[in-house]
Amino acid sequence: GKAAFAVLGAAAMISEGNAIVKENGIEDPALAISVALQNQLAAAKRTTSVASTDVAKKDDVATVVAANPGSDYILDVKTLGWMINYYPTDWAHYRVTYNVRLRLIDASTKAVVAQSACATVQGDDKNPPTKDQLLDNKAALLKDYLGKAAVACSDLMARDVLKLSSR
């Protein structure tokens, strides 16, 4: 219903979304994607992975590199957008859209050596849930959909980055 009010509706939707995330302890899927990618790439390239939970204040490469001193390469995984959205022909039922970007940065040159993006839509088209069903039980179904999005994006991005970084 908030979408019908254009700019004011967008602000209300963001506020409501932030409240849902906070109240239900929903983690940003980029964290799970980052860990999965680190493990997959470290195994494939026979390197040592060093986990970092530091979040750079800005998105430019120089800031990301500065936030990760001592690294040879940096996996920069950023959620670009995530939302619960209704089906275009059925406003009572919802699905989850998730978009993420990955950059593999050579810290010494500050060059992006590989980049990938992933967009997923998670839901049950045959039996789509209501918003209440998505949020029941501390948003268990929503968390499940976001978990599936993280796995799908981790797999896709690992293939992309391995292919691009081996050139």
Side-chain angles (χ1 to χ4, degrees), residues 19-119:
I20 289 170
V21 167
K22 184 177 180 181
E23 291 166 8
N24 294 289
I26 299 171
E27 286 194 10
D28 184 343
L31 300 172
I33 292 169
S34 179
V35 170
L37 287 171
Q38 282 179 346
N39 293 337
Q40 290 180 49
L41 294 174
K45 296 291 187 178
R46 295 185 181 102
T47 61
T48 302
S49 173
V50 178
S52 171
T53 56
D54 291 342
V55 177
K57 301 282 186 223
K58 293 182 182 177
D59 194 37
D60 63 283
V61 172
T63 301
V64 173
V65 170
N68 294 279
S71 298
D72 294 321
Y73 288 89
I74 301 162
L75 276 173
D76 177 36
V77 181
K78 179 180 181 179
T79 294
L80 300 176
W82 51 342
M83 68 179 161
I84 299 170
N85 53 326
Y86 55 79
Y87 284 77
T89 58
D90 181 0
W91 290 12
H93 293 93
Y94 292 78
R95 57 189 173 191
V96 177
T97 302
Y98 179 71
N99 297 291
V100 62
R101 181 210 63 210
L102 161 77
R103 297 182 297 191
L104 180 62
I105 302 168
D106 180 331
S108 65
T109 64
K110 294 185 176 119
V112 176
V113 295
Q115 187 164 320
S116 181
C118 178

Side-chain angles (χ1 to χ4, degrees), residues 134-159:
L134 274 174
L135 300 179
D136 280 348
N137 195 24
K138 296 292 283 174
L141 184 57
L142 175 57
K143 289 175 184 175
D144 179 58
Y145 285 165
L146 290 171
K148 289 176 181 175
V151 169
C153 287
S154 296
D155 292 345
L156 171 78
M157 295 170 112
R159 285 191 305 270

